[in-house]
Structure formats: C-alpha cells, structure tokens
Amino acid sequence: MKESGLDAADIRILFALQRNGRLSNVDLAEQVGLSPSPCLRRVRDLEEKGFIQGYTAILDRRKLGMGVVAFVEVKIDQNAEGDADFRRGILLLPEVVSCFVMTGTMDYLLQVVVEDLDAFADLSMRKLLSIKGVKEVKSSFVLDVVKHSTNLPLPRPGAGA
C-alpha cells in the first residue's frame, strides 16, 4: 500500500467506506479516529485522486427476479476489427455485468445475470452470437454462491497499515 501514497488514516477511511458507503462523515470520522473536518478533506481527496470511484447500493438479484448467473467464455476472431466490434457490442448488453480480457484459452470472460434460462438462451443465441467477431461461446452456470464481495483486500486497521 505504501507505493499508492496512502497513509494509515486513508486506509482506515477506505476500509470503513467499502463496508458501509452510507456512513455519515461524523460516524466515519469517529470510526477512523479523526475529527470530522480533516476526515471530510481526506475523503474528498481520495475521491479526487480516484481511489474512491463512486458509491452504490448492492441489490439482491433474486428478490429482483434475476435467478440465473452464468460465466461465459468467449473466443473472437483474432483481428483488431473483431475485438473492437466485440467490445462495442458487449457495452450494449446490460445483462453482462462484468467483462474481462483473459489470458489462456479464451479471449473474454463475461459474468451474466438474467431472469431465467429462457432469457439466457435469448442473450446467448440472439445477442452474443450475433456480435461480429464472436467465434465461440461456452457457458457455465452458478449453482450456489460461497463468497461474493465487492470489498478489496485492504489491510485491517491496526494490522500494519
């Protein structure tokens, strides 16, 4: 963490905010051992420097009727045009919640969230395979979630930060 330019107080702020982004500045300051004014200045500085990219609510996909999560491996034609077409196409699909460029046997790994298998079939057959440059698609479905977190592995406050 030292190469990031963050000190122990910054790490404590990030640690607290990634667990509860709705903390008031007063509560955050109390948790991290600062007075409210310096705490607010530090949070704003962390935002301006891009360490804090935004604040969001984590939604329960099942309660919203989105029962299927799949990871989709995609191979594309190996040319710059195919790659650009694929990237543009993926950005238009809200069902694709994450898209990663990969090493190994696949070019991209997608995380997809949809209502049901019919919606997945529609996404796969009608949308993904119609993107110019897509050569091959393989899917794996999530049966159960053992761990899912949006928190980065920051050092715990007081543990050498």
Side-chain angles (χ1 to χ4, degrees):
M1 289 287 144
K2 290 180 181 174
E3 56 276 350
S4 67
L6 299 175
D7 65 15
D10 293 329
I11 297 294
R12 289 193 307 270
I13 289 169
L14 294 174
F15 188 88
L17 285 177
Q18 80 171 349
R19 278 156 183 72
N20 183 358
R22 293 186 67 179
L23 283 173
S24 70
N25 184 58
V26 171
D27 290 338
L28 177 62
E30 184 178 313
Q31 277 192 29
V32 301
L34 296 172
S35 59
S37 291
C39 183
L40 183 59
R41 276 194 301 275
R42 282 178 176 266
V43 169
R44 288 184 177 152
D45 188 51
L46 290 166
E47 290 170 346
E48 288 172 13
K49 290 179 178 175
F51 288 100
I52 299 172
Q53 295 182 346
Y55 300 87
T56 190
I58 298 172
L59 308 179
D60 186 321
R61 68 175 173 80
R62 290 184 187 269
K63 287 185 179 180
L64 292 165
M66 297 178 199
V68 173
V69 176
F71 287 90
V72 181
E73 299 176 17
V74 179
K75 286 186 183 181
I76 60 166
D77 289 331
Q78 292 302 313
N79 62 57
E81 187 178 302
D83 188 62
D85 289 335
F86 178 77
R87 288 176 184 233
R88 276 192 300 274
I90 286 302
L91 293 175
L92 299 175
L93 300 176
E95 304 94 336
V96 177
V97 297
S98 299
C99 176
F100 305 96
V101 178
M102 303 299 291
T103 62
T105 61
M106 69 186 103
D107 297 313
Y108 290 91
L109 179 65
L110 313 179
Q111 182 181 4
V112 172
V113 178
V114 292
E115 297 81 17
D116 54 30
L117 289 177
D118 289 336
F120 182 81
D122 181 62
L123 172 72
S124 181
M125 310 267 297
R126 196 174 63 76
K127 297 176 183 176
L128 279 178
L129 290 172
S130 70
I131 296 174
K132 187 177 177 187
V134 171
K135 185 174 170 181
E136 185 179 333
V137 173
K138 292 182 183 178
S139 304
S140 298
F141 294 94
V142 173
L143 299 177
D144 192 13
V145 178
V146 175
K147 179 180 179 180
H148 175 75
S149 177
T150 60
N151 295 344
L152 296 177
L154 297 176
R156 289 197 169 283

PDB file of all heavy atoms in Angstrom, residues 115-145:
ATOM      1  N   GLU A 115     -32.948 -13.260 -15.837  1.00  0.00           N
ATOM      2  CA  GLU A 115     -34.104 -13.757 -15.092  1.00  0.00           C
ATOM      3  C   GLU A 115     -34.142 -15.283 -15.017  1.00  0.00           C
ATOM      4  O   GLU A 115     -34.340 -15.863 -13.961  1.00  0.00           O
ATOM      5  CB  GLU A 115     -35.414 -13.262 -15.723  1.00  0.00           C
ATOM      6  CG  GLU A 115     -35.592 -11.763 -15.712  1.00  0.00           C
ATOM      7  CD  GLU A 115     -34.843 -11.058 -16.841  1.00  0.00           C
ATOM      8  OE1 GLU A 115     -34.429 -11.716 -17.833  1.00  0.00           O
ATOM      9  OE2 GLU A 115     -34.642  -9.840 -16.721  1.00  0.00           O
ATOM     10  N   ASP A 116     -33.971 -15.936 -16.171  1.00  0.00           N
ATOM     11  CA  ASP A 116     -34.145 -17.385 -16.223  1.00  0.00           C
ATOM     12  C   ASP A 116     -33.389 -17.948 -17.422  1.00  0.00           C
ATOM     13  O   ASP A 116     -32.717 -17.210 -18.151  1.00  0.00           O
ATOM     14  CB  ASP A 116     -35.637 -17.745 -16.291  1.00  0.00           C
ATOM     15  CG  ASP A 116     -36.365 -17.037 -17.435  1.00  0.00           C
ATOM     16  OD1 ASP A 116     -35.741 -16.743 -18.481  1.00  0.00           O
ATOM     17  OD2 ASP A 116     -37.573 -16.783 -17.289  1.00  0.00           O
ATOM     18  N   LEU A 117     -33.495 -19.254 -17.625  1.00  0.00           N
ATOM     19  CA  LEU A 117     -32.768 -19.889 -18.728  1.00  0.00           C
ATOM     20  C   LEU A 117     -33.254 -19.425 -20.098  1.00  0.00           C
ATOM     21  O   LEU A 117     -32.464 -19.349 -21.039  1.00  0.00           O
ATOM     22  CB  LEU A 117     -32.848 -21.410 -18.614  1.00  0.00           C
ATOM     23  CG  LEU A 117     -32.036 -22.003 -17.462  1.00  0.00           C
ATOM     24  CD1 LEU A 117     -32.238 -23.515 -17.380  1.00  0.00           C
ATOM     25  CD2 LEU A 117     -30.563 -21.679 -17.599  1.00  0.00           C
ATOM     26  N   ASP A 118     -34.540 -19.117 -20.217  1.00  0.00           N
ATOM     27  CA  ASP A 118     -35.038 -18.589 -21.490  1.00  0.00           C
ATOM     28  C   ASP A 118     -34.368 -17.256 -21.818  1.00  0.00           C
ATOM     29  O   ASP A 118     -33.984 -17.008 -22.967  1.00  0.00           O
ATOM     30  CB  ASP A 118     -36.563 -18.412 -21.452  1.00  0.00           C
ATOM     31  CG  ASP A 118     -37.298 -19.737 -21.452  1.00  0.00           C
ATOM     32  OD1 ASP A 118     -36.727 -20.753 -21.919  1.00  0.00           O
ATOM     33  OD2 ASP A 118     -38.451 -19.764 -20.976  1.00  0.00           O
ATOM     34  N   ALA A 119     -34.227 -16.409 -20.819  1.00  0.00           N
ATOM     35  CA  ALA A 119     -33.557 -15.118 -21.031  1.00  0.00           C
ATOM     36  C   ALA A 119     -32.086 -15.331 -21.380  1.00  0.00           C
ATOM     37  O   ALA A 119     -31.527 -14.624 -22.216  1.00  0.00           O
ATOM     38  CB  ALA A 119     -33.696 -14.240 -19.794  1.00  0.00           C
ATOM     39  N   PHE A 120     -31.465 -16.338 -20.748  1.00  0.00           N
ATOM     40  CA  PHE A 120     -30.072 -16.636 -21.069  1.00  0.00           C
ATOM     41  C   PHE A 120     -29.949 -17.142 -22.514  1.00  0.00           C
ATOM     42  O   PHE A 120     -29.042 -16.736 -23.241  1.00  0.00           O
ATOM     43  CB  PHE A 120     -29.449 -17.653 -20.110  1.00  0.00           C
ATOM     44  CG  PHE A 120     -28.017 -17.895 -20.433  1.00  0.00           C
ATOM     45  CD1 PHE A 120     -27.040 -17.019 -19.998  1.00  0.00           C
ATOM     46  CD2 PHE A 120     -27.637 -18.970 -21.223  1.00  0.00           C
ATOM     47  CE1 PHE A 120     -25.704 -17.208 -20.342  1.00  0.00           C
ATOM     48  CE2 PHE A 120     -26.312 -19.172 -21.561  1.00  0.00           C
ATOM     49  CZ  PHE A 120     -25.344 -18.284 -21.128  1.00  0.00           C
ATOM     50  N   ALA A 121     -30.863 -18.020 -22.900  1.00  0.00           N
ATOM     51  CA  ALA A 121     -30.830 -18.542 -24.274  1.00  0.00           C
ATOM     52  C   ALA A 121     -30.972 -17.401 -25.276  1.00  0.00           C
ATOM     53  O   ALA A 121     -30.262 -17.360 -26.289  1.00  0.00           O
ATOM     54  CB  ALA A 121     -31.935 -19.576 -24.470  1.00  0.00           C
ATOM     55  N   ASP A 122     -31.862 -16.464 -24.993  1.00  0.00           N
ATOM     56  CA  ASP A 122     -32.057 -15.313 -25.873  1.00  0.00           C
ATOM     57  C   ASP A 122     -30.779 -14.478 -25.948  1.00  0.00           C
ATOM     58  O   ASP A 122     -30.333 -14.105 -27.036  1.00  0.00           O
ATOM     59  CB  ASP A 122     -33.225 -14.465 -25.375  1.00  0.00           C
ATOM     60  CG  ASP A 122     -33.484 -13.282 -26.271  1.00  0.00           C
ATOM     61  OD1 ASP A 122     -33.810 -13.494 -27.465  1.00  0.00           O
ATOM     62  OD2 ASP A 122     -33.359 -12.127 -25.796  1.00  0.00           O
ATOM     63  N   LEU A 123     -30.180 -14.221 -24.792  1.00  0.00           N
ATOM     64  CA  LEU A 123     -28.941 -13.449 -24.769  1.00  0.00           C
ATOM     65  C   LEU A 123     -27.844 -14.160 -25.555  1.00  0.00           C
ATOM     66  O   LEU A 123     -27.176 -13.559 -26.392  1.00  0.00           O
ATOM     67  CB  LEU A 123     -28.479 -13.228 -23.326  1.00  0.00           C
ATOM     68  CG  LEU A 123     -27.095 -12.600 -23.169  1.00  0.00           C
ATOM     69  CD1 LEU A 123     -27.115 -11.141 -23.568  1.00  0.00           C
ATOM     70  CD2 LEU A 123     -26.585 -12.767 -21.763  1.00  0.00           C
ATOM     71  N   SER A 124     -27.690 -15.431 -25.293  1.00  0.00           N
ATOM     72  CA  SER A 124     -26.618 -16.199 -25.914  1.00  0.00           C
ATOM     73  C   SER A 124     -26.816 -16.348 -27.419  1.00  0.00           C
ATOM     74  O   SER A 124     -25.931 -16.019 -28.214  1.00  0.00           O
ATOM     75  CB  SER A 124     -26.533 -17.576 -25.255  1.00  0.00           C
ATOM     76  OG  SER A 124     -25.497 -18.332 -25.820  1.00  0.00           O
ATOM     77  N   MET A 125     -27.974 -16.831 -27.813  1.00  0.00           N
ATOM     78  CA  MET A 125     -28.213 -17.171 -29.219  1.00  0.00           C
ATOM     79  C   MET A 125     -28.496 -15.948 -30.092  1.00  0.00           C
ATOM     80  O   MET A 125     -28.032 -15.872 -31.223  1.00  0.00           O
ATOM     81  CB  MET A 125     -29.380 -18.147 -29.329  1.00  0.00           C
ATOM     82  CG  MET A 125     -29.262 -19.329 -28.408  1.00  0.00           C
ATOM     83  SD  MET A 125     -28.494 -20.769 -29.090  1.00  0.00           S
ATOM     84  CE  MET A 125     -29.562 -21.216 -30.386  1.00  0.00           C
ATOM     85  N   ARG A 126     -29.265 -15.009 -29.558  1.00  0.00           N
ATOM     86  CA  ARG A 126     -29.697 -13.890 -30.379  1.00  0.00           C
ATOM     87  C   ARG A 126     -28.770 -12.679 -30.284  1.00  0.00           C
ATOM     88  O   ARG A 126     -28.563 -11.966 -31.252  1.00  0.00           O
ATOM     89  CB  ARG A 126     -31.125 -13.486 -29.988  1.00  0.00           C
ATOM     90  CG  ARG A 126     -31.819 -12.604 -31.005  1.00  0.00           C
ATOM     91  CD  ARG A 126     -33.269 -12.344 -30.658  1.00  0.00           C
ATOM     92  NE  ARG A 126     -33.468 -11.622 -29.416  1.00  0.00           N
ATOM     93  CZ  ARG A 126     -33.278 -10.314 -29.245  1.00  0.00           C
ATOM     94  NH1 ARG A 126     -32.862  -9.586 -30.248  1.00  0.00           N
ATOM     95  NH2 ARG A 126     -33.496  -9.746 -28.084  1.00  0.00           N
ATOM     96  N   LYS A 127     -28.186 -12.473 -29.098  1.00  0.00           N
ATOM     97  CA  LYS A 127     -27.380 -11.263 -28.915  1.00  0.00           C
ATOM     98  C   LYS A 127     -25.877 -11.524 -29.000  1.00  0.00           C
ATOM     99  O   LYS A 127     -25.196 -10.931 -29.825  1.00  0.00           O
ATOM    100  CB  LYS A 127     -27.749 -10.591 -27.592  1.00  0.00           C
ATOM    101  CG  LYS A 127     -29.192 -10.111 -27.545  1.00  0.00           C
ATOM    102  CD  LYS A 127     -29.550  -9.544 -26.188  1.00  0.00           C
ATOM    103  CE  LYS A 127     -31.008  -9.128 -26.116  1.00  0.00           C
ATOM    104  NZ  LYS A 127     -31.373  -8.671 -24.766  1.00  0.00           N
ATOM    105  N   LEU A 128     -25.369 -12.411 -28.137  1.00  0.00           N
ATOM    106  CA  LEU A 128     -23.916 -12.639 -28.123  1.00  0.00           C
ATOM    107  C   LEU A 128     -23.402 -13.185 -29.448  1.00  0.00           C
ATOM    108  O   LEU A 128     -22.417 -12.692 -29.997  1.00  0.00           O
ATOM    109  CB  LEU A 128     -23.530 -13.610 -27.003  1.00  0.00           C
ATOM    110  CG  LEU A 128     -23.401 -13.046 -25.607  1.00  0.00           C
ATOM    111  CD1 LEU A 128     -23.071 -14.153 -24.616  1.00  0.00           C
ATOM    112  CD2 LEU A 128     -22.378 -11.941 -25.538  1.00  0.00           C
ATOM    113  N   LEU A 129     -24.033 -14.229 -29.933  1.00  0.00           N
ATOM    114  CA  LEU A 129     -23.548 -14.849 -31.163  1.00  0.00           C
ATOM    115  C   LEU A 129     -23.745 -13.974 -32.400  1.00  0.00           C
ATOM    116  O   LEU A 129     -23.142 -14.237 -33.431  1.00  0.00           O
ATOM    117  CB  LEU A 129     -24.205 -16.214 -31.359  1.00  0.00           C
ATOM    118  CG  LEU A 129     -23.731 -17.282 -30.364  1.00  0.00           C
ATOM    119  CD1 LEU A 129     -24.569 -18.553 -30.491  1.00  0.00           C
ATOM    120  CD2 LEU A 129     -22.252 -17.584 -30.544  1.00  0.00           C
ATOM    121  N   SER A 130     -24.545 -12.924 -32.272  1.00  0.00           N
ATOM    122  CA  SER A 130     -24.728 -12.035 -33.421  1.00  0.00           C
ATOM    123  C   SER A 130     -23.720 -10.890 -33.442  1.00  0.00           C
ATOM    124  O   SER A 130     -23.663 -10.129 -34.406  1.00  0.00           O
ATOM    125  CB  SER A 130     -26.156 -11.465 -33.435  1.00  0.00           C
ATOM    126  OG  SER A 130     -26.328 -10.544 -32.377  1.00  0.00           O
ATOM    127  N   ILE A 131     -22.915 -10.769 -32.394  1.00  0.00           N
ATOM    128  CA  ILE A 131     -21.887  -9.731 -32.391  1.00  0.00           C
ATOM    129  C   ILE A 131     -20.787 -10.139 -33.376  1.00  0.00           C
ATOM    130  O   ILE A 131     -20.252 -11.252 -33.296  1.00  0.00           O
ATOM    131  CB  ILE A 131     -21.298  -9.524 -30.980  1.00  0.00           C
ATOM    132  CG1 ILE A 131     -22.372  -9.007 -30.022  1.00  0.00           C
ATOM    133  CG2 ILE A 131     -20.120  -8.543 -31.030  1.00  0.00           C
ATOM    134  CD1 ILE A 131     -21.907  -8.916 -28.579  1.00  0.00           C
ATOM    135  N   LYS A 132     -20.483  -9.237 -34.269  1.00  0.00           N
ATOM    136  CA  LYS A 132     -19.459  -9.513 -35.274  1.00  0.00           C
ATOM    137  C   LYS A 132     -18.132  -9.835 -34.592  1.00  0.00           C
ATOM    138  O   LYS A 132     -17.709  -9.147 -33.675  1.00  0.00           O
ATOM    139  CB  LYS A 132     -19.289  -8.291 -36.185  1.00  0.00           C
ATOM    140  CG  LYS A 132     -18.379  -8.527 -37.349  1.00  0.00           C
ATOM    141  CD  LYS A 132     -18.317  -7.305 -38.245  1.00  0.00           C
ATOM    142  CE  LYS A 132     -17.349  -7.540 -39.375  1.00  0.00           C
ATOM    143  NZ  LYS A 132     -17.153  -6.327 -40.167  1.00  0.00           N
ATOM    144  N   GLY A 133     -17.504 -10.910 -35.025  1.00  0.00           N
ATOM    145  CA  GLY A 133     -16.211 -11.305 -34.491  1.00  0.00           C
ATOM    146  C   GLY A 133     -16.281 -12.437 -33.480  1.00  0.00           C
ATOM    147  O   GLY A 133     -15.261 -13.023 -33.154  1.00  0.00           O
ATOM    148  N   VAL A 134     -17.483 -12.755 -32.957  1.00  0.00           N
ATOM    149  CA  VAL A 134     -17.597 -13.840 -31.985  1.00  0.00           C
ATOM    150  C   VAL A 134     -17.428 -15.169 -32.709  1.00  0.00           C
ATOM    151  O   VAL A 134     -18.131 -15.466 -33.665  1.00  0.00           O
ATOM    152  CB  VAL A 134     -18.941 -13.796 -31.228  1.00  0.00           C
ATOM    153  CG1 VAL A 134     -19.126 -15.045 -30.378  1.00  0.00           C
ATOM    154  CG2 VAL A 134     -19.011 -12.557 -30.355  1.00  0.00           C
ATOM    155  N   LYS A 135     -16.489 -15.962 -32.224  1.00  0.00           N
ATOM    156  CA  LYS A 135     -16.158 -17.227 -32.864  1.00  0.00           C
ATOM    157  C   LYS A 135     -16.714 -18.410 -32.068  1.00  0.00           C
ATOM    158  O   LYS A 135     -17.209 -19.370 -32.644  1.00  0.00           O
ATOM    159  CB  LYS A 135     -14.630 -17.312 -32.953  1.00  0.00           C
ATOM    160  CG  LYS A 135     -14.064 -18.470 -33.686  1.00  0.00           C
ATOM    161  CD  LYS A 135     -12.553 -18.263 -33.774  1.00  0.00           C
ATOM    162  CE  LYS A 135     -11.834 -19.476 -34.271  1.00  0.00           C
ATOM    163  NZ  LYS A 135     -10.393 -19.245 -34.323  1.00  0.00           N
ATOM    164  N   GLU A 136     -16.638 -18.329 -30.739  1.00  0.00           N
ATOM    165  CA  GLU A 136     -17.052 -19.449 -29.898  1.00  0.00           C
ATOM    166  C   GLU A 136     -17.521 -18.922 -28.547  1.00  0.00           C
ATOM    167  O   GLU A 136     -16.960 -17.965 -28.019  1.00  0.00           O
ATOM    168  CB  GLU A 136     -15.870 -20.395 -29.697  1.00  0.00           C
ATOM    169  CG  GLU A 136     -16.168 -21.653 -28.944  1.00  0.00           C
ATOM    170  CD  GLU A 136     -14.937 -22.543 -28.801  1.00  0.00           C
ATOM    171  OE1 GLU A 136     -14.029 -22.474 -29.651  1.00  0.00           O
ATOM    172  OE2 GLU A 136     -14.896 -23.302 -27.814  1.00  0.00           O
ATOM    173  N   VAL A 137     -18.553 -19.583 -27.996  1.00  0.00           N
ATOM    174  CA  VAL A 137     -19.100 -19.211 -26.696  1.00  0.00           C
ATOM    175  C   VAL A 137     -19.299 -20.481 -25.875  1.00  0.00           C
ATOM    176  O   VAL A 137     -19.870 -21.457 -26.370  1.00  0.00           O
ATOM    177  CB  VAL A 137     -20.453 -18.468 -26.859  1.00  0.00           C
ATOM    178  CG1 VAL A 137     -21.112 -18.234 -25.522  1.00  0.00           C
ATOM    179  CG2 VAL A 137     -20.268 -17.157 -27.602  1.00  0.00           C
ATOM    180  N   LYS A 138     -18.809 -20.479 -24.625  1.00  0.00           N
ATOM    181  CA  LYS A 138     -19.028 -21.591 -23.692  1.00  0.00           C
ATOM    182  C   LYS A 138     -19.552 -21.011 -22.395  1.00  0.00           C
ATOM    183  O   LYS A 138     -19.021 -20.013 -21.910  1.00  0.00           O
ATOM    184  CB  LYS A 138     -17.721 -22.341 -23.402  1.00  0.00           C
ATOM    185  CG  LYS A 138     -17.161 -23.105 -24.566  1.00  0.00           C
ATOM    186  CD  LYS A 138     -15.895 -23.836 -24.139  1.00  0.00           C
ATOM    187  CE  LYS A 138     -15.266 -24.547 -25.326  1.00  0.00           C
ATOM    188  NZ  LYS A 138     -14.013 -25.220 -24.942  1.00  0.00           N
ATOM    189  N   SER A 139     -20.567 -21.658 -21.820  1.00  0.00           N
ATOM    190  CA  SER A 139     -21.210 -21.125 -20.622  1.00  0.00           C
ATOM    191  C   SER A 139     -21.117 -22.093 -19.458  1.00  0.00           C
ATOM    192  O   SER A 139     -21.200 -23.303 -19.625  1.00  0.00           O
ATOM    193  CB  SER A 139     -22.683 -20.840 -20.911  1.00  0.00           C
ATOM    194  OG  SER A 139     -22.810 -19.976 -22.004  1.00  0.00           O
ATOM    195  N   SER A 140     -20.986 -21.522 -18.264  1.00  0.00           N
ATOM    196  CA  SER A 140     -21.056 -22.263 -17.012  1.00  0.00           C
ATOM    197  C   SER A 140     -22.022 -21.515 -16.104  1.00  0.00           C
ATOM    198  O   SER A 140     -21.953 -20.292 -15.986  1.00  0.00           O
ATOM    199  CB  SER A 140     -19.689 -22.342 -16.336  1.00  0.00           C
ATOM    200  OG  SER A 140     -18.773 -23.033 -17.139  1.00  0.00           O
ATOM    201  N   PHE A 141     -22.908 -22.263 -15.447  1.00  0.00           N
ATOM    202  CA  PHE A 141     -23.928 -21.644 -14.613  1.00  0.00           C
ATOM    203  C   PHE A 141     -23.579 -21.762 -13.140  1.00  0.00           C
ATOM    204  O   PHE A 141     -23.090 -22.797 -12.687  1.00  0.00           O
ATOM    205  CB  PHE A 141     -25.292 -22.286 -14.886  1.00  0.00           C
ATOM    206  CG  PHE A 141     -25.782 -22.000 -16.273  1.00  0.00           C
ATOM    207  CD1 PHE A 141     -25.538 -22.904 -17.294  1.00  0.00           C
ATOM    208  CD2 PHE A 141     -26.430 -20.825 -16.570  1.00  0.00           C
ATOM    209  CE1 PHE A 141     -25.960 -22.644 -18.584  1.00  0.00           C
ATOM    210  CE2 PHE A 141     -26.851 -20.549 -17.857  1.00  0.00           C
ATOM    211  CZ  PHE A 141     -26.621 -21.466 -18.872  1.00  0.00           C
ATOM    212  N   VAL A 142     -23.850 -20.713 -12.396  1.00  0.00           N
ATOM    213  CA  VAL A 142     -23.613 -20.688 -10.961  1.00  0.00           C
ATOM    214  C   VAL A 142     -24.731 -21.468 -10.283  1.00  0.00           C
ATOM    215  O   VAL A 142     -25.915 -21.175 -10.492  1.00  0.00           O
ATOM    216  CB  VAL A 142     -23.577 -19.236 -10.438  1.00  0.00           C
ATOM    217  CG1 VAL A 142     -23.505 -19.205  -8.913  1.00  0.00           C
ATOM    218  CG2 VAL A 142     -22.409 -18.478 -11.062  1.00  0.00           C
ATOM    219  N   LEU A 143     -24.358 -22.471  -9.485  1.00  0.00           N
ATOM    220  CA  LEU A 143     -25.334 -23.257  -8.729  1.00  0.00           C
ATOM    221  C   LEU A 143     -25.538 -22.692  -7.331  1.00  0.00           C
ATOM    222  O   LEU A 143     -26.641 -22.738  -6.786  1.00  0.00           O
ATOM    223  CB  LEU A 143     -24.887 -24.715  -8.633  1.00  0.00           C
ATOM    224  CG  LEU A 143     -24.734 -25.452  -9.967  1.00  0.00           C
ATOM    225  CD1 LEU A 143     -24.220 -26.860  -9.720  1.00  0.00           C
ATOM    226  CD2 LEU A 143     -26.053 -25.471 -10.721  1.00  0.00           C
ATOM    227  N   ASP A 144     -24.470 -22.174  -6.733  1.00  0.00           N
ATOM    228  CA  ASP A 144     -24.540 -21.616  -5.395  1.00  0.00           C
ATOM    229  C   ASP A 144     -23.388 -20.634  -5.243  1.00  0.00           C
ATOM    230  O   ASP A 144     -22.367 -20.755  -5.919  1.00  0.00           O
ATOM    231  CB  ASP A 144     -24.423 -22.743  -4.354  1.00  0.00           C
ATOM    232  CG  ASP A 144     -24.784 -22.297  -2.942  1.00  0.00           C
ATOM    233  OD1 ASP A 144     -25.357 -21.197  -2.782  1.00  0.00           O
ATOM    234  OD2 ASP A 144     -24.497 -23.050  -1.995  1.00  0.00           O
ATOM    235  N   VAL A 145     -23.542 -19.679  -4.361  1.00  0.00           N
ATOM    236  CA  VAL A 145     -22.506 -18.682  -4.111  1.00  0.00           C
ATOM    237  C   VAL A 145     -21.919 -18.939  -2.730  1.00  0.00           C
ATOM    238  O   VAL A 145     -22.641 -18.889  -1.737  1.00  0.00           O
ATOM    239  CB  VAL A 145     -23.071 -17.249  -4.198  1.00  0.00           C
ATOM    240  CG1 VAL A 145     -21.981 -16.226  -3.889  1.00  0.00           C
ATOM    241  CG2 VAL A 145     -23.675 -16.999  -5.573  1.00  0.00           C
TER     242      VAL A 145
END
